[in-house]
Amino acid sequence: MKNYHVAVVGATGAVGNEMIKVLEERNFPVGKLTLLASERSLGKELSFKGRSLPVEVLTESSFRGVEIGLFSAGGSISEKFGPVAAAAGCVVIDNTNAFRMTPEVPLVVPEVNPEAIGLYKNKGIIANPNCSTIQMVVALKPIHDAAKIKRIVVSTYQAVSGTGKKAIEELALQTRALLSGQDPVTKVYPHRIAFNCLPQIDVFMENGYTKEEMKMVRETKKIMNDPGIAVTATTVRVPVFFAHSESVNIETERKITPDEVRKLLAAAPGVRVVDNPAEKLYPMAIDAAGQDATLVGRIREDESIPNGINMWVVADNIRKGAALNAVQIAEILIQKHL
Ligand code: NAP
Ligand code: 3JM
């Protein structure tokens, strides 16, 4: 079996760290691993399969001989270095917002549209969707295939780890400060996040929505290959460290019962149904953290319309929402396309 030269761009970050872990756990055939970050990380070492590897500074010549590049160092880094890597013959799997809506670039969730991966040939780039979109479409694709979803109304409860290492630290420090009667310091978010909910993720756009909300709207249509699905989103940051939760309301063309939904989802790849109200069992962030599956529960009829379903969808935003999804794409890429 062939081994590949893989580079992780943003290796010292929350997502990059998890990428290294997932490559190791899934025994991805890595021949050589190149770890890239900024000058700030010069001298750092990270461990992979029991060996310590140096972190190198990202430059335009970092991609010589690299076959697969997993990018998670922010949109502007991907915009600049993604095409450079692709020109050097590396297939870029990009975790940022940089190329998701570029028509020639496939936007992939392996459980939903693995066939799109072949389009990597267009630009040498495959985009990984936003974390909140990924877990939602994993849960909705089987229902869309069975009953055709006409409209989605989603509200998210997103963990601070989605903002990166500094935000994880900010929630911990603010919580400790407040519990010790001290003033909390706010640096990463526009307001205090400890003991609070912020109805703003990413920047505001002209239509009054945030960019994160519009990512969910546009990415869902592209991944499901159905521009006709109506999607509206409210994205909220909550004081949770790991795993995003989502209240998802759908309206379908054909009527589908909660039991049918449970049956479909029980057989769906990447989904675990956790739905037993009598036993107080439902998906929770503390159970999804560290797991690969997208947990779905609280499945019930929306009694306010003829064909409606409500559900609660939870997944680890750093794993399925980012690192795991990217490595799953890489696995299909090497099995079917390289
Ligand atoms: P993070 O913990 O803040 O890590 C950022 C990483 O980027 C670090 O490794 C950092 O290196 C590196 N970096 C920053 N500026 C750089 C530069 N000029 N040159 C080279 N490397 C640079 O953030 P994170 O949570 O891992 O997220 C990173 C990115 O991944 C986000 O900006 C976002 O675009 C994407 N992301 C995607 C999803 C998704 O849903 N698919 C989820 C979360 C994040 P240093 O340590 O040297 O600073
Ligand atoms: C998740 O470029 C940046 O500052 C990154 C902002 C960011 C993104 C993004 O827009 O790529 C932080 C966290 C995402 C994402 O997955 O969309």
Side-chain angles (χ1 to χ4, degrees):
M1 187 160 149
K2 182 173 161 27
N3 285 328
Y4 294 84
H5 183 174
V6 178
V8 177
V9 181
T12 52
V15 176
N17 248 300
E18 198 70 22
M19 298 251 199
I20 299 167
K21 224 167 96 187
V22 174
L23 286 169
E24 177 167 337
E25 281 172 14
R26 295 174 72 90
N27 216 6
F28 190 86
V30 177
K32 182 173 180 196
L33 186 64
T34 297
L35 303 178
L36 300 165
S38 78
E39 306 84 44
R40 290 180 291 272
S41 296
L42 202 59
K44 276 193 195 158
E45 302 210 327
L46 296 171
S47 104
F48 177 67
K49 294 197 168 171
R51 294 198 1 232
S52 208
L53 298 175
V55 178
E56 300 170 34
V57 177
L58 171 67
T59 68
E60 302 219 344
S61 47
S62 295
F63 298 96
R64 228 171 279 145
V66 176
E67 294 167 287
I68 299 170
L70 303 173
F71 277 62
S72 67
S76 57
I77 298 293
S78 291
E79 270 166 32
K80 179 161 177 215
F81 291 94
V84 171
C90 165
V91 181
V92 172
I93 301 176
D94 184 42
N95 264 266
T96 78
N97 193 33
F99 305 108
R100 289 177 188 150
M101 296 317 298
T102 305
E104 306 80 40
V105 172
L107 181 64
V108 178
V109 177
E111 290 85 347
V112 179
N113 62 340
E115 69 285 349
I117 291 173
L119 297 174
Y120 82 90
K121 290 199 178 95
N122 290 346
K123 296 221 167 226
I125 300 173
I126 302 167
N128 200 74
N130 179 262
C131 38
S132 301
T133 311
I134 293 177
Q135 67 184 68
M136 183 172 81
V137 297
V138 164
L140 292 187
K141 169 71 171 164
I143 305 172
H144 190 45
D145 288 345
K148 197 163 182 0
I149 296 172
K150 292 196 326 200
R151 179 166 185 250
I152 303 169
V153 181
V154 55
S155 300
T156 68
Y157 304 65
Q158 297 183 219
V160 296
S161 51
T163 318
K165 277 192 310 199
K166 291 204 176 87
I168 298 173
E169 204 177 282
E170 179 149 309
L171 174 58
L173 289 174
Q174 287 184 352
T175 306
R176 197 164 67 192
L178 286 159
L179 290 177
S180 349
Q182 286 159 357
D183 284 337
V185 179
T186 292
K187 280 197 208 144
V188 176
Y189 295 114
H191 304 280
R192 194 182 94 197
I193 182 62
F195 308 105
N196 200 10
C197 298
L198 304 177
Q200 177 190 351
I201 298 185
D202 211 330
V203 295
F204 279 100
M205 307 193 58
E206 268 192 356
N207 64 358
Y209 285 77
T210 63
K211 199 166 161 196
E212 185 86 347
E213 288 161 350
M214 295 314 294
K215 286 175 198 170
M216 292 192 79
V217 173
R218 295 178 184 140
E219 293 174 16
T220 299
K221 294 171 195 259
K222 179 166 174 177
I223 301 161
M224 303 273 242
N225 194 20
D226 186 350
I229 304 186
V231 186
T232 186
T234 302
T235 58
V236 181
R237 189 74 64 190
V238 298
V240 165
F241 285 104
F242 295 101
H244 292 352
S245 303
E246 299 178 346
S247 161
V248 181
N249 172 269
I250 55 168
E251 185 176 359
T252 54
E253 200 163 281
R254 177 177 83 72
K255 185 162 185 75
I256 186 163
T257 65
D259 267 344
E260 271 182 274
V261 170
R262 267 180 225 109
K263 226 177 256 158
L264 277 174
L265 292 181
V271 176
R272 186 145 61 85
V273 175
V274 182
D275 197 14
N276 187 349
E279 301 290 333
K280 302 184 184 68
L281 287 178
Y282 30 73
M284 294 191 294
I286 55 171
D287 294 328
Q291 303 291 314
D292 289 350
T294 295
L295 311 184
V296 186
R298 299 295 322 279
I299 300 165
R300 62 208 191 275
E301 188 162 341
D302 172 356
E303 296 178 334
S304 71
I305 48 171
N307 297 348
I309 292 283
N310 279 311
M311 61 180 96
W312 183 248
V313 179
V314 184
D316 186 322
N317 55 300
I318 298 295
R319 283 183 79 86
K320 185 56 191 168
L324 171 64
N325 198 71
V327 173
Q328 287 175 311
I329 292 172
E331 289 171 350
I332 298 172
L333 181 74
I334 61 167
Q335 280 160 19
K336 299 230 161 114
H337 303 282
L338 286 191

